[in-house]
Amino acid sequence: MTYDYSSIGFYTFDCLARPVTAIPPGGHTYFVEEITMAVSGAAGAAAVVAAKYGLSVLAVGGIGDDLMGKWVIERLGHFGIDTSMMQLCPGAGTSSSIVTTRPDGQRPALHMRGATGAFEIAAADIDKVLDARIVHIGGTGLMNRMDGAPSFALMAEAKRRGCITTLDVFAADRKDMANVAGLLPNTDYFIPSIEEAQALSGLSDKADIGKFFVDLGVGCIVMTMGADGAYYHHRDGSRFQMPAFGIDVVCTCGCGDAFNAGFATGLVKGMNPEDCVRLGQASSALNATGLGSQAGVTDFPAALDFIARTQPKIAAPSIARAV
């Protein structure tokens, strides 16, 4: 296949500032220590991290005819990402966020949905979009024209062609369940946050949530759990919780998206499930050490070195093997 990773969906321009403790009243000004820009989003940030790790990446999404869109394309190109499937969407601005990063790393944001809801994949482009070892849909629930039947058909065709398929959502809740459920039978790995998984399923316990989604047809669900690590629940009975790394958090923007790319890189490189999750965890942790998506991620050898020299928050993962 031409690409290792086809990353489809939510691409956004982010302007981030830190530390932000309050919005100034009236026309006043507060000073911050750092301001930066980043390509973010469940597809965009994942695409950049995968490219930094040496994967050949195709970006598939939408931009507007504006300065933000031009910068997003330039920035993706800087990392060697093929942007030929990034559509210019007339009448829509580039999806963009103003991110106010708190001292503890949390990142309340003001977001304009923009072109993520306006792009669609034409039948003539299917061959190129699916010419990848891994097909990732990131941002289900935001893609107005692609959510539902178009995404269901795309994922089914990806599976028919033998691609590995991965799925992530954005701030999903119960109303997004129909969009997610239609994708699950053709999804190998569903990678939401535990908060998103809880909201979608209406359940609270991670094992119950895992069974819920496996019963709906997904091959495996991997839930990111912030400081509590990540939980892997496969339909073959394998399940484990992997601890997070102990780090000083700067910004959590894009941590889940970095996990997606790290996990996918592990799959491309033939790693076992535990090592795939560990690489995802390392990618998320490194992401959190800088301001903005991917800021702390450099390359694959650096991620492996981080794993080797950084202690997890607890001594060892809890693992249950399939029988």
Side-chain angles (χ1 to χ4, degrees):
M1 292 178 172
T2 301
Y3 305 99
D4 295 313
Y5 196 58
S6 179
S7 193
I8 305 163
F10 181 32
Y11 286 78
T12 181
F13 167 89
D14 279 0
C15 180
L16 308 100
R18 68 172 290 271
V20 178
T21 55
I23 301 300
H28 292 207
T29 298
Y30 291 164
F31 293 100
V32 295
E33 296 174 7
E34 186 178 2
I35 293 176
T36 193
M37 300 185 297
V39 176
S40 194
V48 173
V49 173
K52 285 187 174 185
Y53 285 168
L55 272 58
S56 55
V57 179
L58 176 68
V60 185
I63 57 167
D65 185 12
D66 50 30
L67 291 174
M68 288 80 75
K70 291 180 175 64
W71 188 86
V72 166
I73 295 300
E74 179 182 336
R75 190 64 174 161
L76 293 172
H78 173 80
F79 296 110
I81 296 169
D82 186 332
T83 61
S84 59
M85 289 290 101
M86 290 295 290
Q87 296 176 20
L88 185 63
C89 301
T94 301
S95 300
S96 301
S97 298
I98 298 172
V99 182
T100 59
T101 303
R102 303 302 195 225
D104 65 356
Q106 295 302 306
R107 66 300 188 258
L110 303 172
H111 181 68
M112 182 184 75
R113 296 173 72 123
T116 295
F119 88 95
E120 53 190 333
I121 298 172
D125 294 329
I126 294 293
D127 285 345
K128 184 167 185 177
V129 168
L130 298 185
D131 188 14
R133 295 176 66 182
I134 296 179
V135 172
H136 172 65
I137 293 181
T140 293
L142 284 177
M143 301 180 293
N144 297 359
R145 293 191 179 181
M146 283 300 299
D147 279 337
S151 287
F152 302 165
L154 184 70
M155 202 68 122
E157 181 62 15
K159 282 304 298 173
R160 189 189 72 80
R161 296 184 183 208
C163 306
I164 298 170
T165 55
T166 64
L167 172 67
D168 194 7
V169 291
F170 174 80
D173 57 28
R174 192 66 179 175
K175 67 176 170 48
D176 297 309
M177 192 60 216
N179 278 330
V180 173
L183 291 164
L184 292 177
N186 293 298
T187 298
D188 292 310
Y189 298 96
F190 178 36
I191 316 177
S193 69
I194 190 168
E195 294 85 3
E196 290 164 335
Q198 288 170 335
L200 287 165
S201 67
L203 302 171
S204 58
D205 178 75
K206 62 182 185 293
D208 291 341
I209 294 170
K211 182 178 185 303
F212 174 86
F213 284 105
V214 166
D215 287 347
L216 288 175
V218 76
C220 181
I221 178 171
V222 186
M223 287 179 276
T224 57
M225 302 169 64
D228 293 323
Y231 176 68
Y232 177 101
H233 190 120
H234 199 282
R235 70 157 60 121
D236 69 5
S238 301
R239 61 185 68 177
F240 58 87
Q241 183 169 342
M242 190 72 70
F245 289 100
I247 58 165
D248 294 325
V249 174
V250 173
C251 177
T252 59
C253 191
C255 284
D257 313 324
F259 184 101
N260 291 333
F263 187 86
T265 300
L267 293 174
V268 168
K269 294 183 179 295
M271 293 181 174
N272 63 40
E274 291 85 1
D275 287 342
C276 286
V277 173
R278 174 55 71 215
L279 181 56
Q281 287 289 89
S283 306
S284 181
L286 286 165
N287 182 92
T289 62
L291 179 62
S293 297
Q294 327 102 39
V297 178
T298 54
D299 55 32
F300 184 63
L304 295 182
D305 179 66
F306 175 85
I307 292 170
R309 63 181 171 79
T310 309
Q311 291 297 315
K313 289 191 172 183
I314 60 176
S318 172
I319 300 175
R321 300 285 186 181
V323 294

